[in-house]
Amino acid sequence: MSSAAGNSLPSWHCILLCLLVALLSGCGINNIPTYDEQVKAAWAQVENQYQRRADLVPNLVKTVQAYAGHERETLQAVTEARAKVNSMQLDGNLLNDPVKLQQFEAAQSQLSSALARLMLVVESYPNLKANQNFLNLQSQLEGIENRISVARRDYIQAVQHYNREIRTFPGKIWHVILYRNMPLRETYQATTEGAEKAPEVNFQ
C-alpha cells in the first residue's frame, strides 16, 4: 500500500510542475526574449535592404557616368557615401550601442541624400532616362527604397512592442527577476529631415 502511494508521488510532482509551467507561460515569462528576437529579426531585414541598395550603387553610377560623366561631384558623392556605408563594421552589438547605431543611420541617410541628388541630375539627360539598363536600375532602386521604408517601420514597431513589455506589468516584474541584463532598445531615428520617406526615383 505504501509502495503504491510512494509511486504516485512523482506523478503529482510532474502534474504540479506542468501546471506551474503553464501558469508561468500564461503570465508572459517568455515574452521579453521573444520580443527581443523579433527586434533582432526586424533589424536584420533593415540591414538586408540597405545592403541590397549598396550593391546596386556601382552599376547605377556606371550607367549614369556613361551619359553624364562630367557630373563628377554628384557621382563622387554617391560613391563616397556607399564606401562609408560599406566600411562600417556591423556585428551583433550594434543594437546595444546607441552611438554606433546613430552612426550607421547617419551613413545610410547620407547615401539616401546622395542618391536623391543623383536622380535629380538624371532629369537633364533624356537619353539616359530612356536607357533600358538605367530604367531597370531605377525600378530596382525604387523597390528597394520602398522595402527599406517598410523594414524600418517594422523595426520601430518591434522595438516599441519590446520596450512596452519591459515597462508594463507583468513584463516589468519578469524583467527585474529574470531579464535584468536586457536593456530598452533604441528605436530608429531619422537623421535628416524627411529621411523616413523613400526618395522619389520615378521619372515615368
Side-chain angles (χ1 to χ4, degrees):
M1 188 74 172
S2 60
S3 176
N7 290 335
S8 65
L9 188 58
S11 297
W12 280 110
H13 283 175
C14 289
I15 292 174
L16 288 174
L17 180 60
C18 290
L19 289 173
L20 180 60
V21 169
L23 179 62
L24 291 176
S25 298
C27 289
I29 191 173
N30 292 319
N31 284 356
I32 293 176
T34 298
Y35 296 154
D36 185 56
E37 289 302 316
Q38 290 174 359
V39 169
K40 293 175 182 176
W43 180 251
Q45 271 303 308
V46 173
E47 290 185 344
N48 179 50
Q49 296 306 325
Y50 276 140
Q51 187 58 54
R52 291 183 63 184
R53 181 175 68 174
D55 292 342
L56 186 68
V57 167
N59 285 337
L60 182 62
V61 169
K62 184 178 180 180
T63 301
V64 173
Q65 192 171 28
Y67 288 83
H70 59 282
E71 300 284 354
R72 294 179 182 177
E73 184 178 347
T74 302
L75 291 167
Q76 184 176 358
V78 173
T79 301
E80 290 178 352
R82 178 186 183 268
K84 185 174 182 179
V85 164
N86 284 352
S87 69
M88 302 192 72
Q89 298 296 321
L90 302 182
D91 54 40
N93 293 324
L94 181 64
L95 292 180
N96 297 325
D97 190 331
V99 174
K100 287 185 178 180
L101 183 59
Q102 187 176 17
Q103 291 172 346
F104 176 80
E105 293 168 357
Q108 295 294 346
S109 179
Q110 183 179 348
L111 179 55
S112 294
S113 297
L115 285 170
R117 290 195 301 273
L118 179 64
M119 290 304 173
L120 287 176
V121 166
V122 169
E123 278 291 296
S124 302
Y125 299 90
N127 290 338
L128 172 58
K129 289 169 59 179
N131 178 271
Q132 189 59 49
N133 187 41
F134 172 76
L135 291 175
N136 290 337
L137 291 170
Q138 171 196 328
S139 178
Q140 291 180 54
L141 179 61
E142 183 178 26
I144 291 172
E145 292 292 355
N146 288 334
R147 285 190 288 273
I148 287 173
S149 181
V150 171
R152 288 191 307 215
R153 180 201 65 195
D154 291 345
Y155 170 70
I156 290 170
Q157 291 176 347
V159 170
Q160 289 175 340
H161 203 178
Y162 167 82
N163 286 345
R164 183 170 60 245
E165 182 67 19
I166 289 178
R167 288 171 167 166
T168 58
F169 179 86
K172 190 172 184 178
I173 295 177
W174 295 126
H175 184 250
V176 172
I177 297 174
L178 298 175
Y179 307 115
R180 190 186 301 270
N181 63 326
M182 299 176 68
L184 291 171
R185 292 290 189 187
E186 289 291 322
T187 190
Y188 182 89
Q189 297 290 339
T191 54
T192 60
E193 185 177 356
E196 73 282 359
K197 299 178 182 178
E200 179 59 53
V201 295
N202 185 7
F203 298 109
Q204 302 296 327

